[in-house]
Amino acid sequence: MSDHSYTRIVMISSAEMLGIGLSLLVIESVGRKWSILGSFVVNAIGLVPMTVPMSIHKYTAPLFISQAGWASSFVLTMVYTSEFYPTEIRGIGIGTASGISAIGRVVSRFLAQILADEWSRHGVAAILTVVALIGAAVTFWLPKDAKGRELEDIIPSDEHKIPLLEPSPTNSA
């Protein structure tokens, strides 16, 4: 790989920081749901130019845009879910989703490489564009948004608490 290739990789990877930073600025004014939807659309917009043949050097800007949208949608999804569910469910759900997404990241990079060899990188970009648009459509149908609302403190009653490890009572003599 040439020095120019490493520079492109660093530039594209830095898009994650830009996407996360922009999502922090936009989330309060637009709302969680619409910010997530916008992130998926930005991801798709970045991927669309990659579905047509062009020089590999011209992929840097679309990849940058796509990477920013992807990183933003990931962070905003975590924020959205953490505001609507009780702590016990939220911890289990976010932990499970993070684990599955880690597996998905590894598998998708592996499959993208195989598909790029079999079909072409244009076919892979088309598939990823469709997936991003499906994500935007699903986000559109999310039930509620926290914009402008005061969040409730959800504290379960004793009868609905999930049993946790508690110290056993000691015998005092």
Side-chain angles (χ1 to χ4, degrees):
M1 284 173 64
S2 68
D3 288 341
H4 186 66
S5 296
Y6 287 115
T7 304
R8 273 199 331 266
I9 290 170
V10 169
M11 281 179 23
I12 292 166
S13 297
S14 66
E16 289 186 26
M17 293 182 284
L18 176 68
I20 292 168
L22 286 176
S23 64
L24 292 173
L25 295 174
V26 172
I27 192 168
E28 288 302 323
S29 60
V30 177
R32 281 92 175 122
K33 175 180 171 178
W34 298 108
S35 297
I36 298 169
L37 191 139
S39 296
F40 279 119
V41 170
V42 166
N43 189 354
I45 288 170
L47 289 167
V48 166
M50 296 174 53
T51 62
V52 296
M54 64 178 145
S55 166
I56 190 132
H57 301 293
K58 294 183 180 178
Y59 285 129
T60 304
L63 276 173
F64 186 88
I65 293 167
S66 176
Q67 189 75 6
W70 171 84
S72 178
S73 64
F74 184 76
V75 168
L76 290 168
T77 302
M78 293 297 185
V79 170
Y80 180 87
T81 56
S82 69
E83 292 181 349
F84 291 109
Y85 300 101
T87 305
E88 290 89 358
I89 296 171
R90 179 176 55 224
I92 293 168
I94 289 179
T96 303
S98 293
I100 291 172
S101 73
I103 294 168
R105 284 192 304 267
V106 171
V107 170
S108 68
R109 291 181 193 240
F110 178 71
L111 288 178
Q113 189 64 41
I114 290 173
L115 291 175
D117 292 343
E118 291 291 319
W119 292 353
S120 76
R121 78 182 82 129
H122 315 300
V124 173
I127 291 169
L128 293 174
T129 303
V130 169
V131 169
L133 292 174
I134 290 171
V138 168
T139 302
F140 179 77
W141 296 107
L142 287 175
K144 52 188 172 180
D145 197 348
K147 182 182 177 207
R149 290 185 348 164
E150 194 68 30
L151 296 178
E152 309 167 12
D153 287 332
I154 303 172
I155 302 172
S157 63
D158 287 339
E159 63 190 44
H160 298 299
K161 276 190 174 180
I162 296 175
L164 302 174
L165 295 176
E166 296 179 9
S168 59
T170 56
N171 294 334
S172 24

